[in-house]
């Protein structure tokens, strides 16, 4: 089994050391992630790709700073239009145009017996955007939806792992970077060990 891990930043990659997987710092944001994901698929075609990083958690969810989760779905939350009644996601606009109405992207590759929590995520170019609908998600990040979409389009097996670094609240600067990166790294080792163990049985 060949495993390729993408990290949005060098900070998120800083504690991870492992010789049996390949890694790449892909860059922050949807555009950088889409480009890096496609490049890895074309150049390496791994058995599975993993996007690993930190994320903010929305209030009133069951998760806390330092928790680690597998992301089971992603929404590109700020893709849409501002209207007189507020922001409307592109997938829900009554436009008389033919285009793919893409909203919630689902990951079908999470192993059933993996001992990590699962959560739902929203990807944003504008972090902590006050206008998006957060009612059906737990966390936010800036890369996942692009990663999901490219992998799905290219029929590439994929997983996303996130550790919570902060509460999503404008003006809240209480980030626990050290704890979240450490937790993410530990969760990533658990995930990779599980994948390798189940692929050999």
């Amino acid at each position: 089994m060949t495993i390729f891990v993408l990290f949005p930043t060098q900070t998120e990659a800083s504690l991870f050391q492992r010789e049996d997987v390949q890694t790449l710092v892909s860059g922050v944001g949807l555009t950088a992630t889409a480009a890096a994901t496609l490049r890895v698929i074309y150049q390496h075609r791994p058995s599975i790709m993993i996007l690993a990083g930190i994320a903010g958690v929305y209030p009133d969810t069951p998760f806390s700073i330092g928790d680690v989760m597998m992301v089971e779905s992603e929404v590109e939350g700020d893709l849409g239009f501002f209207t007189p009644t507020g922001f409307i996601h592109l997938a829900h606009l009554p436009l008389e145009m033919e285009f793919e109405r893409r909203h919630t992207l689902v990951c079908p590759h999470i192993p059933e017996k993996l001992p990590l929590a699962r959560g739902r995520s929203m990807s944003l170019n504008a972090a902590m955007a006050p206008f998006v609908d957060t009612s059906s998600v737990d966390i936010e990040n800036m890369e996942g939806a692009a990663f999901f979409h490219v992998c799905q389009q290219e029929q590439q097996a994929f997983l996303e792992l996130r550790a919570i670094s902060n509460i999503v609240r404008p003006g809240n600067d209480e980030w626990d970077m050290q704890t979240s990166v450490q937790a993410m790294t530990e969760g990533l080792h658990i995930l990779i060990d599980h994948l390798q163990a189940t692929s050999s049985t």
Side-chain angles (χ1 to χ4, degrees):
M1 165 176 266
T2 57
I3 300 173
F4 210 114
V5 182
L6 298 182
F7 298 97
T9 67
Q10 185 58 48
T11 298
E12 288 156 303
S14 60
L15 301 180
F16 184 76
Q17 293 184 348
R18 194 158 177 151
E19 295 183 356
D20 54 353
V21 301
Q22 293 178 279
T23 65
L24 175 70
V25 175
S26 56
V28 174
L30 297 168
T31 304
T33 302
T37 301
L38 194 60
R39 185 167 65 250
V40 169
I41 292 172
Y42 282 177
Q43 293 180 355
H44 302 279
R45 186 54 84 166
S47 304
I48 194 158
M49 289 183 69
I50 302 170
L51 175 62
I54 60 175
V57 65
Y58 290 111
D60 303 321
T61 70
F63 300 104
S64 303
I65 291 175
D67 287 348
V68 179
M69 71 180 69
M70 299 301 303
V71 177
E72 58 186 8
S73 64
E74 283 279 4
V75 177
E76 190 174 345
D78 51 3
L79 179 65
F81 282 70
F82 283 96
T83 74
T85 58
F87 178 79
I88 300 178
H89 195 280
L90 184 62
H92 302 145
L93 279 170
L95 294 175
E96 295 183 2
M97 298 176 65
E98 293 186 14
F99 63 96
E100 177 190 4
R101 294 183 179 271
R102 186 176 72 251
H103 189 262
T104 303
L105 304 172
V106 177
C107 177
H109 306 289
I110 302 175
E112 290 185 5
K113 297 181 179 181
L114 181 66
L116 293 171
R118 296 189 182 196
R120 302 160 299 170
S121 182
M122 176 177 289
S123 297
L124 302 168
N125 275 308
M128 302 189 186
F131 54 83
V132 296
D133 179 10
T134 63
S135 60
S136 61
V137 294
D138 304 302
I139 63 171
E140 76 170 34
N141 71 84
M142 304 182 83
E143 298 85 20
F147 177 72
F148 273 42
H149 181 62
V150 172
C151 287
Q152 288 178 353
Q153 292 296 303
E154 297 299 320
Q155 300 182 333
Q156 168 67 58
F158 65 96
L159 294 166
E160 182 181 5
L161 180 142
R162 294 281 175 173
I164 295 170
S165 58
N166 62 290
I167 297 173
V168 179
R169 186 181 295 124
N172 176 28
D173 295 326
E174 297 179 7
W175 290 53
D176 193 337
M177 198 72 68
Q178 182 176 356
T179 295
S180 59
V181 172
Q182 179 68 48
M184 181 212 68
T185 304
E186 293 171 359
L188 187 53
H189 283 296
I190 292 171
L191 172 58
I192 292 170
D193 288 343
H194 183 88
L195 291 173
Q196 291 178 337
T198 54
S199 71
S200 61
T201 58

